Amino acid sequence: MSPTKRPRTDSVHDHHAGGAEALRLTGPDSGTHPTKRYDESLEIYRHRTNVETVVLDREVAAHQIAQSLPKEEDVVPKVDLFLPEALRDAIFVGHLVTDLDSVAGAIGAAALYGGKAATASEVNSETEFALKQWGVEVPTRIEDLLKQNPNAKLFYSIITAIGTKVCLVDHQQTSQMNPSINPDSVVGVIDHHALQSKTIVTDRPIYIDIRPWGSMSTIVAHTYLTHGRRPPTAIAGMLLCAILSDTLNLQGPTTTEWDRMMVAVLADLSGVDDIQFLASQQFKAKSRELAGLSAHGLVNGDQKEFSFENEGFRGDVGFAVVETTDDAVIIDRLEELLPEMVACKKERDLDVLFLAVVNIVQLKGTLVICGPSELSLAKAAFGEDAKLNETGTIMDLGNRVSRKKDYIPEITRAIKNGWAKPPHRGLSVVDVTQLGTLEVDPLDPFQKVVRKGSVLLEKGVASPISFGKGMEVSEEEKKVDA
């Protein structure tokens, strides 16, 4: 059985809205941050992640909502009166370059409204993970479903099927539609994106449900609840994964309170005990395909924070990990990653932030170093003679590939052995108000979250090695206190 799920019971707070494991492994009070046991043998504790904190803050309300739903998943007859007849027997399909939200949303909406789910293109690695995790089959391609209609006819590569109804999910622009869909067959749109150019135009009124939330699957989950329907466990799990994906584990700029509450409710309904483990495993699957990940996504996707209280150093260390089959593709994006790491470090008030890129095929690790404090601690932890690039921003970690077994224990030992931040780290010329804003490009098929207007992108990040010169560092080199 999956480690994220247990057989469902009706005991109060059984799953704690996905935070049961965080509560079971609660560490000592650090004053400002609740902690979770990470490695008891070395007495290592980490902060609770944002998603763990979010679900635990809402566990009582989420459990009450889940308990108020009918125990059976069958439709309550009177509810049929409130579901739009136009969507019954429709095909629910997402956009081209399909992602988890468009696939999970199509599956959930098809079950809710009584139709069939379809995909507009091949599913990605993250979607494959979620489908396997919850035991759901890959929906049929939209072209194949349309061809199955006995009245379908092919005209100039567009399949026109008399009586076929299509509901677009997670998009409403014709440029993102699968070309096999005849716009005249569209009877509905369920989406969470802005209305931009090339929005579909119809000759008659259609069903529209567009809400400014972080995920289309949040809309579907909310509709289940408002109609008194209990989604099947597998669908609740798929919707949960989709919301975590589209909102970057509830940390993205489009995240709303509706997304947070639906994650807590769906975690309860699907029987998830460890929401952070599910999110981490999903990110690992997602990172196998790098095209859909921005620098912000890479730095924040699987990051954990650790607090230390020692004579030489008292502060917080963040450690992010990206697992991939092609580490060179990520390392080649160093000019994007370094400014984002410094921005994230300042926004989260961290003293040190690392990013480890792990090649899961060759089993080797590479450490991305964004500043002099990171360089100093990395040398103390992994050896003064560890191989570095010329600028000191990349360290070869050899066959070290595990954050839990290889990275954090070594960093902990270095700090306990007296490591302290270097005295000359450069001149601080950046504050949080200069870090720009995180935005989603509505025209980007991957809906990547990118940082715009950051002074770090204009000034750059100086080499960590240059700061080792102490007072010899020129004013021009002192670009950022990293």
Side-chain angles (χ1 to χ4, degrees), residues 262-299:
M262 288 304 101
V263 162
V265 173
L266 291 168
D268 189 283
L269 290 172
S270 57
V272 171
D273 287 342
D274 194 341
I275 190 76
Q276 180 57 42
F277 181 77
L278 175 63
S280 296
Q281 293 300 108
Q282 182 169 304
F283 178 75
K284 289 178 182 178
K286 186 176 187 176
S287 62
R288 292 176 198 153
E289 296 178 0
L290 303 175
L293 290 174
S294 64
H296 178 77
L298 290 168
V299 173

Side-chain angles (χ1 to χ4, degrees), residues 35-257:
T35 63
K36 182 178 178 182
R37 297 198 299 274
Y38 192 72
D39 188 325
E40 289 188 275
S41 63
L42 296 175
E43 296 184 344
I44 298 175
Y45 307 93
R46 68 163 174 81
H47 297 174
R48 280 184 188 162
T49 62
N50 176 71
V51 71
E52 289 171 332
T53 301
V54 165
V55 296
L56 286 173
D57 286 346
R58 293 159 179 77
E59 65 160 314
V60 174
H63 188 76
Q64 290 174 344
I65 292 172
Q67 288 297 299
S68 71
L69 297 174
K71 299 300 179 185
E72 301 297 325
E73 297 167 356
D74 295 336
V75 178
V76 179
K78 64 179 181 180
V79 174
D80 282 342
L81 297 174
F82 302 99
L83 293 176
E85 184 64 28
L87 299 187
R88 187 180 298 279
D89 298 323
I91 297 173
F92 294 81
V93 61
H95 51 76
L96 293 169
V97 195
T98 194
D99 60 9
L100 179 52
D101 193 33
S102 65
V103 174
I107 292 171
L112 174 65
Y113 294 109
K116 292 183 178 180
T119 59
S121 57
E122 293 298 319
V123 300
N124 59 27
S125 56
E126 182 186 34
T127 305
E128 287 179 345
F129 163 82
L131 292 167
K132 183 177 180 180
Q133 173 75 18
W134 298 104
V136 178
E137 293 185 1
V138 180
T140 305
R141 286 287 293 266
I142 180 66
E143 300 96 327
D144 295 331
L145 272 184
L146 292 175
K147 289 176 183 177
Q148 290 173 10
N149 189 304
N151 296 316
K153 297 180 180 179
L154 185 62
F155 293 106
Y156 303 106
S157 80
I158 294 180
I159 300 172
T160 302
I162 300 173
T164 298
K165 300 185 293 184
V166 175
C167 179
L168 306 180
V169 302
D170 202 31
H171 73 298
Q172 22 70 19
Q173 293 177 297
T174 54
S175 58
Q176 296 184 6
M177 282 173 50
N178 184 294
S180 68
I181 299 173
N182 184 342
D184 290 339
S185 67
V186 174
V187 296
V189 171
I190 306 174
D191 191 21
H192 67 119
H193 296 109
L195 298 173
Q196 301 284 342
S197 60
K198 299 184 179 179
T199 296
I200 188 170
V201 176
T202 63
D203 292 333
R204 61 189 183 284
I206 63 173
Y207 178 81
I208 298 287
D209 189 351
I210 298 178
R211 310 183 205 180
W213 295 354
S215 168
M216 176 266 173
S217 292
T218 302
I219 300 173
V220 176
H222 184 264
T223 305
Y224 266 101
L225 303 185
T226 56
H227 287 77
R229 296 279 300 278
R230 176 183 291 273
T233 300
I235 289 179
M238 288 294 298
L239 296 174
L240 169 63
C241 286
I243 300 172
L244 291 176
S245 175
D246 252 31
T247 63
L248 297 178
N249 297 339
L250 301 178
Q251 297 180 97
T254 61
T255 306
T256 68
E257 178 57 28

Side-chain angles (χ1 to χ4, degrees), residues 28-36 46-48 305 307 316 348:
D29 188 0
S30 68
T32 57
H33 300 285
T35 63
K36 182 178 178 182
R46 68 163 174 81
H47 297 174
R48 280 184 188 162
E305 299 174 10
S307 291
D316 297 327
R348 296 196 178 195

Side-chain angles (χ1 to χ4, degrees), residues 426-447:
L427 199 63
S428 179
V429 295
V430 178
D431 60 39
V432 174
T433 63
Q434 295 177 295
L435 297 179
T437 58
L438 295 172
E439 301 178 11
V440 178
D441 183 356
L443 301 181
D444 175 30
F446 298 104
Q447 295 292 291

Side-chain angles (χ1 to χ4, degrees), residues 384-398:
E384 288 287 340
D385 58 348
K387 186 178 179 180
L388 288 163
N389 67 349
E390 291 183 358
T391 58
T393 53
I394 293 291
M395 176 180 281
D396 185 353
L397 296 178

